[in-house]
Amino acid sequence: MDRNFVDFRLAPGDISAIRFGVSPGHELCHAVRVLQRPEEHPLQWGWLRAVRAGVPREAFEMLAVLIGERGYFPDFLTTTPTWDLDPAEEAARLREVPDGPMTVDLRKVVVRSAGARQQAILRMIDDLPRARAMIADAWLELWAAVLAPVWTQLERILRADIAVRARRIATDGLAGMVGGLHHTVEWHDDAVRVELRLHSEVLDCRGSGIVLVPSVLGGLGCSVLTEPPAQPTLFYPAQGVTERWATDATALAEALGALLGQARAAILLGAHAPRTTSQVAADAGLAPSTASHHLTVLRDAGLVTSRRDGARMLHLRTPLGEALVGAAL
């Protein structure tokens, strides 16, 4: 039986051509699919129990028509993932999708659908301004109900995964990191190669590069974006996803506190962005000298890194710290 591969071809040894990002839109689209077919996603049952009662019916039904249960969904629902892309920014971009790309994506859905779903998509094409506004409104309403309550936990897993992959480039090389993304992904002849069920393509990514995006709700397989104007993108399953990933922040703090002590756990949880010693102390309710001591312990353990910025010292979680926080889920 023929095997299908998508090859993202890169310049030999060009590490800078590979970037990582997060995609709130990708997570929301797959949340819609999980809600439609929960029996296929046992790792999401804990999340489902927490949010299912609050799902807004009309917003969900509209996006379910657009996204479907499996297969292709419109590329414009996921803007180019970046390291710092936040949900509000992605939702705002939905209101600015040009008519041309939106029409192309919707027509792809038309040819892949039938009956009532196909007719609903055709009505969207007939009135793009109205459809665009309704899609953006539904996106925001559904996001607020099903992902905003757990975005802190979800984003923590994504960033922990990225931190570990970035470190692996330094220890195992680019090919080693790529080969560890998923059993369907490998480094092959200066290309990131992913095996897919139906699609084959070779993309020249020299000059544009590729974005690698971990996903919590995207299931156990990989998917790709390959058609302009989308940035070549590979979505892969984030590591460390268990049925408890939606554990609330309090439970996470308690789990880390049992391991590190409450003060150090609080400092580590807050170290996702650079902070000064004074900010760390204020956030944790500690004296600066006590915060400095805990930071020293965390730094000696390889969980926090500190760098000087003028007269300030800034503290940030290391990849090992990200991995520990993610594993506590």
Side-chain angles (χ1 to χ4, degrees), residues 85-141:
L85 180 62
D86 64 51
E89 182 182 1
E90 187 148 39
R93 292 183 186 179
L94 271 178
R95 300 189 189 277
E96 301 173 356
V97 177
D99 286 357
M102 186 174 180
T103 301
V104 169
D105 288 356
L106 290 176
R107 290 203 177 279
K108 290 179 184 178
V109 178
V110 168
V111 301
R112 292 167 170 82
S113 58
R117 184 189 182 204
Q118 187 179 71
Q119 293 304 309
I121 302 299
L122 287 171
R123 287 193 294 273
M124 293 182 189
I125 295 173
D126 288 340
D127 191 348
L128 289 177
R130 180 173 182 270
R132 186 183 296 108
M134 291 180 64
I135 290 167
D137 289 344
W139 196 104
L140 282 170
E141 187 178 0

Side-chain angles (χ1 to χ4, degrees), residues 139-183:
W139 196 104
L140 282 170
E141 187 178 0
L142 193 63
W143 176 274
V146 304
L147 285 189
V150 296
W151 181 243
T152 297
Q153 299 94 301
L154 196 155
E155 186 181 29
R156 187 177 291 126
I157 296 174
L158 299 179
R159 296 194 183 283
D161 181 278
I162 291 171
V164 171
R165 308 293 182 186
R167 181 169 182 167
R168 194 161 291 163
I169 293 176
T171 58
D172 300 344
L174 191 57
M177 184 279 293
V178 168
L181 292 175
H182 190 255
H183 67 85

Side-chain angles (χ1 to χ4, degrees), residues 76-89:
F76 68 79
L77 292 173
T78 56
T79 59
T80 298
T82 61
W83 171 257
D84 57 353
L85 180 62
D86 64 51
E89 182 182 1

Side-chain angles (χ1 to χ4, degrees), residues 60-311:
F60 166 70
E61 289 180 350
M62 179 180 187
L63 291 178
V65 166
L66 189 60
I67 293 165
E69 295 182 357
R70 52 175 57 88
Y72 174 81
F73 60 77
D75 293 345
F76 68 79
L77 292 173
T78 56
T79 59
T80 298
T82 61
W83 171 257
D84 57 353
L85 180 62
D86 64 51
E89 182 182 1
E90 187 148 39
R93 292 183 186 179
L94 271 178
R95 300 189 189 277
E96 301 173 356
V97 177
D99 286 357
M102 186 174 180
T103 301
V104 169
D105 288 356
L106 290 176
R107 290 203 177 279
K108 290 179 184 178
V109 178
V110 168
V111 301
R112 292 167 170 82
S113 58
R117 184 189 182 204
Q118 187 179 71
Q119 293 304 309
I121 302 299
L122 287 171
R123 287 193 294 273
M124 293 182 189
I125 295 173
D126 288 340
D127 191 348
L128 289 177
R130 180 173 182 270
R132 186 183 296 108
M134 291 180 64
I135 290 167
D137 289 344
W139 196 104
L140 282 170
E141 187 178 0
L142 193 63
W143 176 274
V146 304
L147 285 189
V150 296
W151 181 243
T152 297
Q153 299 94 301
L154 196 155
E155 186 181 29
R156 187 177 291 126
I157 296 174
L158 299 179
R159 296 194 183 283
D161 181 278
I162 291 171
V164 171
R165 308 293 182 186
R167 181 169 182 167
R168 194 161 291 163
I169 293 176
T171 58
D172 300 344
L174 191 57
M177 184 279 293
V178 168
L181 292 175
H182 190 255
H183 67 85
T184 61
V185 182
E186 64 177 336
W187 182 256
H188 180 80
D189 291 340
D190 296 324
V192 177
R193 165 173 283 188
V194 55
E195 183 174 1
L196 297 176
R197 190 167 62 91
L198 299 174
H199 183 52
S200 291
E201 189 174 356
V202 176
L203 290 90
D204 186 351
C205 298
R206 292 170 294 184
S208 64
I210 176 177
V211 183
L212 303 179
V213 184
S215 178
V216 170
L217 286 157
L220 302 178
C222 295
S223 59
V224 300
L225 287 177
T226 62
E227 294 188 22
Q231 170 77 28
T233 304
L234 168 61
F235 299 96
Y236 64 91
Q239 58 187 356
V241 179
T242 71
E243 68 281 359
R244 296 182 65 249
W245 73 262
T247 300
D248 64 37
T250 300
L252 173 59
E254 290 175 354
L256 282 176
L259 178 66
L260 301 174
Q262 294 300 327
R264 290 171 191 165
I267 291 171
L268 188 63
L269 284 170
H272 59 281
R275 295 181 301 163
T276 66
T277 304
S278 297
Q279 289 171 326
V280 169
D283 291 346
L286 301 170
S289 59
T290 304
S292 180
H293 168 71
H294 289 313
L295 284 165
T296 298
V297 173
L298 292 169
R299 185 168 54 249
D300 290 345
L303 301 177
V304 167
T305 184
S306 303
R307 64 176 178 83
R308 186 165 295 282
D309 179 30

